[in-house]
Amino acid sequence: MSITLAVAKGRLAEDLLTKLIDAGIDCADALNPGRRLIVPSADGSISFIFVKPSDVPTYVERGVADAGVCGKDTLLEENKPLLEMLDLGFGKCRLCICGKQEMHEAGLRSSAYRVATKYPRIARALFERRYVNAEIIELHGSVELAPLVGLSDVILDIVESGGTLFANGLSIIEEIYPISARLVVNRVSLKTRSDEIKRLLDALKEAV
Ligand code: PRP
């Protein structure tokens, strides 16, 4: 029986599949899925399901996927009871507080901020821990726009190359957390499908 692996669509999926192919698992079909959302590996041992990155933890927690691959940022935000088994080492970026240059120079000294972010839970917890009043403004993309148009004072977002910040005249005020792709596993699957999970884990260890 095949193991079901929920994969964050986009760059992480491409990195993962390329590495699995290098490790000898034929999943070229999954690398070019077209509009298909469920694609098996050539030997049928893995069934890949492609989902929105923030939905990976939900599929794994509910057990419809035995395991999943998504960024640590998503795991921190979704905070589901999953088993994190492996740091895959790709998809590296940093979760940062960023803002305009003047905010960068002043540092985070104010007692209240408007924070635009795709990560409302992480942001709330972060500012609460610091006893700083924060109005969290949840966005779903193009977060860098918020300080430019006066929607927020700062953003909490991932920075990879820094290109988006640079192109918009923003800079990092503080780095919060290093991020990379992780393999997570459903708690029940780990017991009931331990052989298949071990095989997947070994293949991924070899691949990365
Ligand atoms: C992510 C992130 C930043 C950007 C960082 O957005 O939210 O905007 O990438 O990458 P960089 O440092 O290499 O420029 P994404 O491309 O996923 O698009 P989105 O704004 O629609 O969420």
Side-chain angles (χ1 to χ4, degrees), residues 45-107:
S45 65
I46 304 174
S47 179
F48 296 96
I49 60 174
F50 295 105
V51 306
K52 218 180 140 194
S54 57
D55 290 338
V56 168
T58 301
Y59 282 84
V60 180
E61 187 200 13
R62 296 260 165 178
V64 289
D66 301 295
V69 171
C70 63
K72 180 69 180 176
D73 52 330
T74 304
L75 297 178
L76 290 169
E77 177 64 20
E78 299 302 320
N79 195 25
K80 300 254 199 280
L82 308 173
L83 299 165
E84 194 180 312
M85 306 287 285
L86 189 62
D87 182 343
L88 294 161
F90 55 80
K92 281 194 174 165
C93 52
R94 297 159 287 163
L95 191 62
C96 299
I97 299 173
C98 311
K100 288 188 186 170
Q101 188 59 28
E102 54 265 34
M103 191 64 82
H104 173 77
E105 279 153 20

Side-chain angles (χ1 to χ4, degrees), residues 164-203:
T164 312
L165 288 183
F166 183 74
N168 292 289
L170 302 175
S171 37
I172 294 173
I173 300 173
E174 195 178 319
E175 292 191 20
I176 305 297
Y177 210 97
I179 303 294
S180 55
R182 308 292 162 101
L183 173 73
V184 287
V185 169
N186 173 276
R187 286 166 180 272
V188 176
S189 295
L190 187 64
K191 292 191 183 128
T192 56
R193 320 216 40 208
S194 57
D195 289 349
E196 292 96 327
I197 302 244
K198 184 167 183 317
R199 264 201 300 280
L200 174 70
L201 194 60
D202 289 345

Side-chain angles (χ1 to χ4, degrees), residues 119-131 136:
Y119 306 98
R121 284 185 207 153
I122 300 175
R124 205 163 287 122
L126 174 74
F127 284 93
E128 264 175 26
R129 268 202 309 276
R130 298 178 176 195
Y131 303 104
I136 309 298

